[in-house]
Every structure is written in C-alpha cells, then in structure tokens.
Amino acid sequence: MVIPVHDVNPVRRTPWVTYALITANILVFVLLTPGAPGSLTGRGGLAQLCHLQSFLEQWAAVPQELVHHRLPRLVPTGAVGVGPQGAGCVIGPPGYEKSPELSVLTAMFLHGSWLHLLGNMLFLLIFGNNVEDRMGHVRFLLFYGFCGYVATYGFALLNAGSAEPLIGASGAIAGVLGAYLVLYPRARVWVLVPFLIFLPLRLPAWIVLGSWFVLQALYSSGGAVSDAGTVAYVAHIVGFLAGMLLAWPLRPGTPHPPEPPGILFGRRARRGW
C-alpha cells in the first residue's frame, strides 16, 4: 500500500470544511474517547477497556440496531465486576436513549487508535481540499455526510446480524476518494512506497486511488468485519462508489490540474518535492 503525501493540484479557495472535519475528529478522539492518550503506547487496563466498550455501545453505529431499529436489552455499563470466571465488564440494561440513525453521524467522528485516526485524516487532508473546492463548502459537507451514511447502511445491510460497533470516518472519506478519482483522474500525487526504504514516486491519481479501491475489494472478499481492531472494507467500497456517482455530473467544467509528464522517482522525484 502506498502512502500519499500530497497532490499537485492547487485549490482556489481555503478548504474550511475539510479543516473543520479534521479538527473535530482529532478533538473527539483526544478529549472524549476513553483511553485515547494511552492508545499510542498500548497502555490501559480492564477499567479503561470496559469504559471504552460502554462509550462505543452508546455512540457507535451497530448494524443490528440500524437494520432492526431496536436496542439490545443488555449492554456494557462501563463498570468492572468479578464473576465465576474472574474480573470482567459488567453488562446491564442501557441507561441511555439512543437513535440508531443519529449514531451513524456520531460514529463518523470516532476512531479506535491513533493509527486509525491519522490514516483517515491524511487521506482527507490530501484529497478533500480539491473536492471541496469543486463542490463548494456546503455541498461538500452534505456530500461527506451522505457518503458516510450510505457506506454505513450498506455495510449494515450486508451484516445485519452483527452486534459489533462500527466506527470511523473511512466510509465518508472513501466517498471523497471516489469523487477525486472522477474529477481529477490525471492529477499527480506524491506517494511513498515502502520498498526497503520509503521510495518517493509521483503517480497519477487514477493509479493511486484505483489501486486503493482494488485492495479494498480484495480484502472484502475475505469477509468484512468491524470493530476497533479490524476494518469494514465493504463500507469503503460502498462509500467510494457513492462518491463516484455523486461527483460524475460535476466532471464537465472541472479545471484540469497541472500534469507533469511521466512518473518520477528517486533523485529526480525529490527535486520536485
């Protein structure tokens, strides 16, 4: 998997919505998500785990709840207890009201780790600014939310029996990637390829994003699951396709980005970095 660094595609206006979404995601992770500061070092005990499970159960999207529109009778309460098999997380009736539909929105701002968060924000920063520039601030915000909802419900319909919380902005950001591919397929993107060392390359967007989509399709064929430790690849695919379809009418009139000739690498690539 290549790591995008930036694209050669200037914008005409400041992408305030993209910046606001990145800021909101970081603040929710750092200030509101239980155990976020310790997730970088892997520190955390049972109490933190139980608190996190309770937090995700309340604010994450759960496929069973979305499809059947009912809450479970028993959920993690956030407390730690001791049973016949030792210490564990206490479960009990939910002490909160939850709207499954609204949980799709709140789940878009939740992440399971620093790697999960920073990976998503990197892709949003690189590709979101140009899509926002083409759509405008308000339309881009609506587009982002719509792709997130379509991706989440698409995953839920295909995994209607799953009770695992679904979190992350990946579905909405996949929609942004699909829109970018449609609008700027020939834009050049600087990437780092991990091959012994990180090799810098300048590739067309259709190669970078097309290969990303193919990887998601290959991974999803092995089964899609969603929790803090795994990835909902089906949601990525659904969000990506939704973004492509929504962006297609905007292709006419989209300004062409600069197109440096060829694929550069090594020393030649670094000169234009």
Side-chain angles (χ1 to χ4, degrees):
M1 181 64 181
V2 299
I3 304 172
V5 178
H6 71 85
D7 61 341
V8 186
N9 195 0
V11 295
R12 299 165 297 174
R13 48 190 161 189
T14 304
W16 294 116
V17 173
T18 298
Y19 293 159
L21 289 170
I22 292 172
T23 302
N25 276 279
I26 293 174
L27 290 177
V28 168
F29 183 73
V30 173
L31 300 179
L32 300 179
T33 305
S39 65
L40 189 62
T41 60
R43 297 175 181 175
L46 179 60
Q48 178 181 303
L49 175 62
C50 295
H51 191 192
L52 178 61
Q53 287 183 354
S54 176
F55 177 82
L56 294 180
E57 192 69 41
Q58 181 174 358
W59 298 108
V62 179
Q64 266 187 357
E65 298 173 4
L66 296 176
V67 175
H68 304 294
H69 204 271
R70 62 174 181 267
L71 299 182
R73 290 181 296 174
L74 298 174
V75 297
T77 64
V80 177
V82 179
Q85 298 180 348
C89 299
V90 176
I91 61 172
Y96 52 82
E97 294 292 333
K98 179 180 181 180
S99 166
E101 295 81 8
L102 186 59
S103 71
V104 178
L105 177 62
T106 57
M108 291 185 210
F109 294 91
L110 303 178
H111 291 82
S113 67
W114 280 105
L115 182 62
H116 187 199
L117 171 70
L118 296 179
N120 275 346
M121 296 305 101
L122 175 64
F123 275 81
L124 179 57
L125 179 64
I126 293 173
F127 300 105
N129 59 347
N130 291 105
V131 178
E132 180 180 349
D133 186 50
R134 181 67 182 92
M135 293 184 173
H137 304 309
V138 176
R139 281 202 297 177
F140 176 73
L141 181 60
L142 295 175
F143 165 85
Y144 181 91
F146 181 80
C147 288
Y149 264 83
V150 170
T152 302
Y153 270 98
F155 179 90
L157 290 172
L158 294 173
N159 298 269
S162 174
E164 295 292 338
L166 182 64
I167 61 174
S170 305
I173 295 172
V176 173
L177 302 186
Y180 193 101
L181 178 60
V182 167
L183 298 174
Y184 307 104
R186 296 183 180 180
R188 293 307 196 265
V189 180
W190 285 105
V191 300
L192 295 176
V193 180
F195 182 73
L196 299 180
I197 60 173
F198 283 102
L199 180 67
L201 292 176
R202 187 177 67 197
L203 302 174
W206 68 267
I207 292 180
V208 177
L209 299 179
S211 61
W212 180 89
F213 180 78
V214 170
L215 279 176
Q216 308 310 299
L218 291 175
Y219 291 149
S220 68
S221 64
V225 286
S226 65
D227 55 36
T230 51
V231 182
Y233 295 109
V234 168
H236 298 177
I237 294 173
V238 175
F240 191 91
L241 294 176
M244 291 185 68
L245 291 174
L246 290 173
W248 198 268
L250 298 177
R251 288 191 68 190
T254 299
H256 296 289
E259 293 188 37
I263 297 176
L264 297 185
F265 59 91
R267 293 180 180 177
R268 291 179 62 203
R270 294 189 188 96
R271 268 182 284 176
W273 192 276

